[in-house]
């Protein structure tokens, strides 16, 4: 028998040097926001070894709501060192130590971003997340949540968290010691055991493994439900059995999902014929039931559209509903702000009226300032006739549906001019507006290429010679099936078409399904091996001069700006070339 060494036992927690740290920042994005304060406490075996604390100049203004939250103002950081000066000292302070933070991915994300920006390798120190550890050790009967302030009160910390870095780090030290005391009673005595303990399935996960029993190894949708039968989480998989079982193993570490498992009382499954059908059913069920633990796709009805109204003198209006009223629509947009950005980009090229009143052919009104600036032909006071105004409307409709070049050229010209005048921030605003327009137009034109086709049948190879077959009507999945290897395709196709859902298309670019559903189908159609079996009632095509050809330029401009580390960085005076 070979005797083990002391190294095999791991590193006793009493001998581990921890650096417990906290950051204050101007926001949540590591690419857009900066660090305003760092606080860190070095401890070993309960003994204080040192502290590190400094304000940091974030390189930009601190938002008012952040100042209210933290108490850190622009005046406080104006003379503070920049991160380029602070980072080397902080990296030296944490060298050879185990890092501890409450919600560690957030704080480490900013440190890693700072290292990347300054050419330092990211820290490779072991990490302990007190928030994650608390979720594993404490139950809801002890603490209602695992926020730092709640845990500090529970463990009777001598320091009250106050959204200041050093104070919060000191409070986290007390929380860490309290948690170490709790896991010690569970046989955790080394750093390796402590980190492994967090990766183990929670007691709730282990207790509820039986919920995965009886789930078949087929494509489909699964629904976690609470005791009242309400959907908590909806997901999909090409193998339901493996996916559902994974929720009850150590591989599932997402805090929200672990919390959801603690509430769940059953897992309902719906077997689907194909993986695409499962993906579509998932989208529809999330939109219909709005499970609280799903983050994506819960509110498809909240999209907005840019509408070219149908009236004597049409205008661009932001709406939430598609109507069969003869109007032209652009979208969908995820927010009213994005729609307004696209509208502003179109107004740069087209002298459409921007007032909201309904104009009459007989009643005259006083023209606004836009007429004097040449931004509007002033149909309100009769300077522009209905026929003359109709030419602008025709160009606007073409810009929305067929040719994005007019808007792109006009906004790009303005950006070139601003760039030449070194007004880079204004150019960045125009770039964002142009991006909102181009991306929405490219998306809508791609959607419309499929939604205007009454019926399409397509197939893709799967497994050992089988074929997935789908019937799509106006961009909506209406039937799905599998044709076995060697079978004649005609009977299978005809049977699917005969039993497919009947679709009565509605108005607008998405007449029968959500934009997300149609985009999911388009991704499948673009995947390798897919064959078109039948296309009826239309031609699957996109406009030759559509926005899709310009979207790549927009994306490259953003990539270039991100690489340059500023919101807008011109290259040879050509912002989007």
């Amino acid at each position: 028998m070979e005797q083990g060494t002391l190294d095999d036992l791991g590193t006793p927690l009493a001998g581990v040097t921890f650096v417990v740290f906290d950051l204050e920042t101007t926001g949540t994005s590591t690419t857009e926001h900066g660090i305003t304060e760092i606080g860190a406490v070095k401890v070993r075996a309960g003994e204080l070894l040192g502290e590190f604390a400094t304000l940091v100049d974030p390189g930009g203004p601190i938002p008012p709501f952040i100042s209210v939250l933290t108490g850190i103002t622009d005046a406080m950081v104006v003379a503070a060192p920049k991160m380029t000066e602070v980072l080397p000292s902080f990296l030296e302070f944490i060298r050879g130590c185990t890092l501890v933070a409450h919600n560690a991915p957030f704080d480490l994300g900013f440190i890693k971003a700072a290292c990347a920006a300054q050419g330092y390798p990211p820290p490779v120190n072991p990490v302990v997340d007190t928030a994650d550890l608390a979720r594993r050790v404490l139950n809801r009967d002890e603490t209602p949540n695992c926020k730092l302030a709640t845990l500090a009160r529970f463990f009777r910390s001598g320091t009250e968290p106050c959204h200041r870095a050093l104070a919060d780090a000191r409070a986290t030290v007390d929380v860490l010691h309290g948690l170490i005391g709790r896991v010690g009673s569970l046989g955790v005595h080394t750093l390796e055991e402590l980190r492994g303990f967090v990766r183990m399935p929670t007691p709730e996960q282990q207790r509820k493994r039986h919920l995965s029993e009886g789930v078949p190894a087929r494509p489909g949708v699964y629904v976690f439900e609470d005791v009242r039968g309400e959907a908590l989480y909806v997901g999909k998989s090409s193998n339901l059995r493996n996916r559902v079982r994974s929720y009850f193993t150590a591989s599932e570490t997402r805090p929200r999902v672990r919390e959801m498992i603690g509430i769940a009382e059953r897992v309902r499954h719906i077997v689907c014929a194909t993986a695409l059908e499962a993906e579509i059913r998932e989208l529809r069920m999330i939109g219909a039931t709005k499970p609280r633990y799903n983050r994506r796709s819960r509110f498809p009805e909240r999209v907005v559209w840019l509408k070219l109204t149908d009236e004597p003198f049409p205008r661009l209006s932001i709406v939430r509903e598609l109507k069969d009223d003869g109007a032209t629509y652009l979208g969908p947009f995820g927010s009213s702000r994005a729609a307004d950005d696209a509208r502003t980009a179109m107004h740069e090229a087209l002298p459409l009226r921007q007032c909201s009143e309904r104009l009459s052919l007989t009643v005259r009104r006083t023209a606004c300032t836009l007429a004097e600036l040449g931004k509007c032909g002033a149909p309100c006071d009769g300077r522009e006739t209905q026929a003359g105004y109709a030419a602008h409307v025709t160009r606007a409709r073409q810009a929305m549906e067929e040719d994005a070049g007019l808007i792109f050229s006009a906004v790009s010209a303005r950006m070139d001019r601003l760039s030449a005048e070194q007004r880079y921030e204004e150019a960045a605003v125009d770039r964002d507006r142009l991006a909102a327009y181009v991306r929405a137009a490219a998306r809508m034109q791609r959607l419309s290429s499929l939604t205007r086709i009454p019926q399409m049948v397509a197939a893709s190879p799967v497994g050992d010679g089988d074929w997935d077959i789908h019937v799509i009507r106006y961009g909506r999945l209406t039937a799905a099936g599998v044709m076995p290897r060697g079978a004649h395709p005609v009977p299978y196709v005809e049977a699917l078409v005969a039993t497919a859902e009947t679709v009565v298309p509605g108005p607008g670019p998405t007449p029968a399904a959500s934009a997300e559903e149609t985009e999911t189908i388009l991704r499948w159609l673009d995947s390798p091996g897919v064959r078109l079996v039948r296309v009826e009632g239309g031609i699957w095509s996109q406009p030759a001069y559509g926005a899709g050809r310009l979207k790549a330029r927009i994306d490259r401009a953003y990539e270039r700006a991100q690489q340059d580390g500023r919101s807008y960085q011109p290259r040879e005076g050509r912002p989007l070339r």
Side-chain angles (χ1 to χ4, degrees), residues 442-443 445-447 449 452 522 539-546 548:
R443 183 187 188 193
Q445 290 163 11
R446 178 170 160 79
L447 290 171
S449 70
R452 62 171 171 256
L522 283 166
I539 300 174
W540 188 24
S541 64
Q542 295 187 54
Y545 298 99

Side-chain angles (χ1 to χ4, degrees), residues 132-205:
D132 197 12
L133 185 58
R135 294 185 191 101
R136 299 218 13 95
V137 174
L138 306 175
N139 57 54
R140 286 183 175 270
D141 294 333
E142 295 176 292
T143 58
N145 56 61
C146 292
K147 296 178 180 179
L148 179 58
T150 304
L151 296 178
R153 288 192 296 270
F154 179 78
F155 287 114
R156 293 182 170 82
S157 171
T159 305
E160 182 179 354
C162 59
H163 294 290
R164 291 300 300 270
L166 185 57
D168 287 7
R170 288 170 175 168
T172 306
V173 169
D174 295 332
V175 170
L176 173 66
H177 289 157
L179 292 171
I180 288 177
R182 293 292 292 266
V183 299
S185 63
L186 300 175
V188 176
H189 302 293
T190 68
L191 177 62
E192 291 74 16
E193 290 172 340
L194 180 66
R195 299 183 68 200
F197 179 81
V198 174
R199 292 191 293 268
M200 290 174 58
T202 65
E204 286 287 356
Q205 285 176 296

